[in-house]
Amino acid sequence: MSRPLPNPDAPPRHDWTLEEISSILDLPFNDLLFAAQSMHRTHFDPNRIQVSSLLSIKTGSCPEDCAYCGQSAHHAAVAPERLLSLAEVLERARAAKAQGATRFCMGAAWRNPTDKQLDQVIAMIEGVSALGLETCMTLGMLTAKQARRLKAAGLDYYNHNLDTSPEFYGRVISTRTYRERLETLEHVRAAGLKTCSGGILGMGESRGDRAALLQQLATLPAHPESVPINLLVQIEGTPLFGSAPLDPFEFVRVVAAARLLMPRSHVRLAAGRHLMSDELQALCFFAGANSIFYGERLLTAPNAPCDRDQDLFKRLGLVAEPLIPERSEPGACHKTAERQGM
Ligand code: SAM
Ligand code: DTB
Ligand code: SF4
């Protein structure tokens, strides 16, 4: 290989240039995958996958105009629903845990939560944590004070995606700026919450846009602990419905580059897995993806069916990452996951 590649033994860098990232994305496919897999096994057990489950706690009628999203009131693709009750959320969290999930992610179709809405979701964080699950929320923009309140309530992760490059962003969203997204990430970090932040591929962006998104993520003061890479799920009625499909190898390249640039982060093969073949998912795991959403639904869109995932894990010899010991009720989740071959 003529071009320098990230050294697996060097500390993670936060000063990646666009040129460096572009040259990584442009590598011959086999060189890129070999480098990413080498990096992956330096920092992680290559056969372990973190398993998260997702629930929409408040669906639809969102004031934002994100062109990919079926929950925006601007396109009204899905019927709006009220905020779920604490009992409903806990029932779904228990079911997710019984299926082998170790993290429960709750999403609301809000531009930002009000302080009253925050009180309601804080009760959910406390209840889900008490079940021994890690908690993640994605509620839109947060103030510094709201982020601190979520941390004090015991929230583990906050998801807030940059979605795409700063340059392409204006083609996708007009009601919230890139800067505002970065500010929310600052508040999340400052509060001591773990960050979950990534983007969406397949919206018509160029490879240069994908490099610029990766640069934004990899030059944050701390790499997000979790980096979800979503494949656009095309939802009828949204402006991005009918976008040209992405070359699947391009998706794998971005996963591999994320692994090389943010070597200690969990890279999640997020939305769109139900549209991927088993072989494509296996390539993504080889390229360094080590987290998935598990369960029949994402927020409003379908996910890969659970029996298909269990079969895939078995055929690939993958096992679910156990809960960190201090959070689990003695061995419970791990046992459930093993029983299911996950
Ligand atoms: N409303 C909050 C917000 O946008 O900040 C939280 C929920 S929102 C649905 C979380 C993320 O899901 C978005 O930032 C986007 O990256 C991803 N997402 C939404 N719709 C998607 C779709 N149709 N395909 C792929 N990813 C999607
Ligand atoms: C993320 O990056 N992907 C998830 C989660 N964070 C909240 C959301 C995917 C949504 C897919 C479309 C839907 O279900 O409506
Ligand atoms: Fe609203 Fe989030 Fe959907 Fe954007 S992605 S329209 S903010 S729910």
Side-chain angles (χ1 to χ4, degrees):
M1 273 179 266
S2 53
R3 279 170 288 232
L5 275 164
N7 172 3
D9 301 317
R13 284 178 49 196
H14 297 263
D15 60 351
W16 293 100
T17 67
L18 206 51
E19 291 66 35
E20 285 175 308
I21 297 174
S22 295
S23 69
I24 288 173
L25 281 176
D26 290 346
L27 280 169
F29 193 72
N30 287 338
D31 292 345
L32 177 56
L33 257 66
F34 180 74
Q37 174 65 201
S38 306
M39 183 67 90
H40 190 44
R41 50 184 59 234
T42 305
H43 297 287
F44 289 99
D45 176 338
N47 303 311
R48 272 189 195 260
I49 306 284
Q50 192 284 322
V51 177
S52 293
S53 177
L54 194 53
L55 174 68
S56 179
I57 57 170
K58 159 69 185 77
T59 304
S61 67
C62 182
E64 305 287 85
D65 68 353
C66 312
Y68 47 76
C69 185
Q71 302 200 67
S72 164
H74 299 258
H75 348 298
V78 302
E81 289 170 21
R82 61 177 169 78
L83 180 66
L84 296 186
S85 69
L86 176 60
E88 286 167 312
V89 171
L90 293 184
E91 189 190 321
R92 299 292 291 272
R94 272 188 213 100
K97 183 177 174 182
Q99 283 185 321
T102 58
R103 189 177 309 157
F104 195 64
C105 309
M106 294 160 267
W110 291 328
R111 172 174 167 77
N112 56 265
T114 62
D115 288 341
K116 181 167 168 256
Q117 286 164 338
L118 214 65
D119 292 339
Q120 292 168 307
V121 302
I122 279 174
M124 296 174 188
I125 295 167
E126 291 166 349
V128 174
S129 293
L131 296 175
L133 286 163
E134 287 184 312
T135 52
C136 177
M137 288 218 150
T138 179
L139 313 169
M141 293 185 283
L142 293 182
T143 63
K145 188 166 167 224
Q146 287 180 323
R148 287 195 296 270
R149 282 193 66 203
L150 290 172
K151 173 69 185 172
L155 183 67
D156 295 302
Y157 289 80
Y158 195 79
N159 166 249
H160 198 67
N161 289 343
L162 292 176
D163 280 354
T164 189
S165 67
E167 297 73 24
F168 193 71
Y169 184 84
R171 303 260 296 273
V172 183
I173 299 146
S174 77
T175 49
R176 177 188 311 185
T177 64
Y178 211 80
R179 175 100 293 276
E180 285 175 312
R181 287 190 187 248
L182 290 167
E183 276 165 12
T184 290
L185 292 180
E186 264 167 47
H187 298 153
V188 166
R189 261 194 322 275
L193 290 162
K194 290 184 192 146
T195 302
C196 173
S197 188
I200 310 180
L201 309 184
M203 299 195 292
E205 75 287 344
S206 65
R207 184 178 280 186
D209 289 312
R210 295 189 273 273
L213 166 66
L214 286 168
Q215 187 192 24
Q216 290 292 325
L217 295 167
T219 58
L220 288 170
H223 292 163
E225 282 81 0
S226 164
V227 180
I229 318 256
N230 296 277
L231 174 64
L232 175 69
V233 179
Q234 298 202 10
I235 297 170
E236 220 169 327
T238 61
L240 291 183
F241 184 74
S243 298
L246 181 75
D247 173 3
F249 295 132
E250 195 61 25
F251 192 93
V252 182
R253 281 181 182 278
V254 173
V255 169
R259 168 53 61 227
L260 287 168
L261 301 171
M262 295 169 277
R264 295 178 186 176
S265 305
H266 276 80
V267 176
R268 181 174 303 141
L269 185 48
R273 267 191 326 109
H274 67 297
L275 306 167
M276 298 180 186
S277 67
D278 291 348
E279 297 87 328
L280 176 58
Q281 291 189 58
L283 266 183
C284 291
F285 295 135
F286 187 76
N290 59 348
S291 173
I292 58 164
F293 285 123
Y294 177 68
E296 304 293 336
R297 290 200 86 65
L298 294 165
L299 292 173
T300 66
N303 193 19
C306 293
D307 51 358
R308 182 180 163 202
D309 281 345
Q310 284 167 25
D311 181 55
L312 184 62
F313 271 47
K314 208 166 161 190
R315 287 157 69 212
L316 298 179
L318 297 175
V319 289
E321 214 173 73
L323 259 181
I324 45 171
E326 64 266 27
R327 289 298 292 273
S328 58
E329 295 160 354
C333 280
H334 191 35
K335 278 199 199 109
T336 311
E338 277 177 352
R339 204 169 48 237
Q340 299 195 342
M342 287 193 67

